[in-house]
Amino acid sequence: MKLFKKLAQAGTAETLKIGTKLIDEIFTTQEEKLQGKMELFKMAVADRDSARDMYAQDSWLQKMFAIFFLVAWCGLTFVMLNYFVFQTIELQDWQIAFISSINGGISTKLSTIIDFLFGGAISGVNNVKLKTKRKDAKDF
């Protein structure tokens, strides 16, 4: 029962790991274990495919959030540039702290949106040619 609770709370990699342990405990023959692990892997792949289908098209709400955060970030950056660089406006210390903290939060959210729309750092991992890397490693 404890494994089932962990399985419900785990991510894909952890689910496969826990599921494999569960399969090893339940099944006795090597053939049953292999079949169970193959089915578990198929389910994980099907789950990822359905997630990709969900985000195949962006909704208007996603686009509006992206535009809102971009405009807010540009506006706050403009205010900060006018204060720090051009010194055309005067702000009190609490206003500077408030604007800086909001700008930091919006920058983080904007970074997340950009990673989602254009692919994050993990997208480069999918393009690695493993056979080439292994062949190079054997040469050493």
Side-chain angles (χ1 to χ4, degrees):
M1 192 65 163
K2 187 177 177 183
L3 276 173
F4 287 117
K5 287 182 182 178
K6 282 186 179 179
L7 200 58
Q9 297 171 348
T12 304
E14 190 68 22
T15 301
L16 289 173
K17 184 178 170 184
I18 294 170
T20 303
K21 284 182 182 178
L22 188 63
I23 288 169
D24 286 338
E25 289 178 13
I26 293 173
F27 297 112
T28 54
T29 67
Q30 196 65 21
E31 186 177 316
E32 288 175 331
K33 289 180 183 182
L34 182 62
Q35 185 66 29
K37 290 175 185 178
M38 287 175 55
E39 289 299 319
L40 181 65
F41 183 74
K42 285 180 188 176
M43 288 177 10
V45 169
D47 184 47
R48 284 189 181 185
D49 283 344
S50 66
R52 286 188 185 111
D53 290 341
M54 277 178 31
Y55 293 108
Q57 291 182 339
D58 297 333
S59 72
W60 65 270
L61 185 61
Q62 289 171 310
K63 292 176 184 175
M64 292 306 296
F65 272 143
I67 290 170
F68 170 76
F69 281 107
L70 179 62
V71 168
W73 181 82
C74 289
L76 289 174
T77 302
F78 177 76
V79 170
M80 290 175 68
L81 278 173
N82 278 325
Y83 177 77
F84 288 113
V85 178
F86 305 121
Q87 298 177 350
T88 56
I89 59 172
E90 273 192 43
L91 296 173
Q92 295 176 8
D93 288 343
W94 72 269
Q95 292 170 320
I96 296 166
F98 184 70
I99 290 172
S100 296
S101 64
I102 290 176
N103 195 25
I106 288 177
S107 296
T108 303
K109 188 52 63 185
L110 191 60
S111 173
T112 304
I113 292 169
I114 289 170
D115 286 347
F116 179 78
L117 293 175
F118 300 109
I122 195 71
S123 65
V125 173
N126 295 333
N127 298 328
V128 173
K129 296 179 182 174
L130 293 177
K131 290 182 181 178
T132 306
K133 294 284 184 186
R134 288 185 189 141
K135 191 183 294 183
D136 292 343
K138 290 179 182 177
D139 292 338
F140 289 110

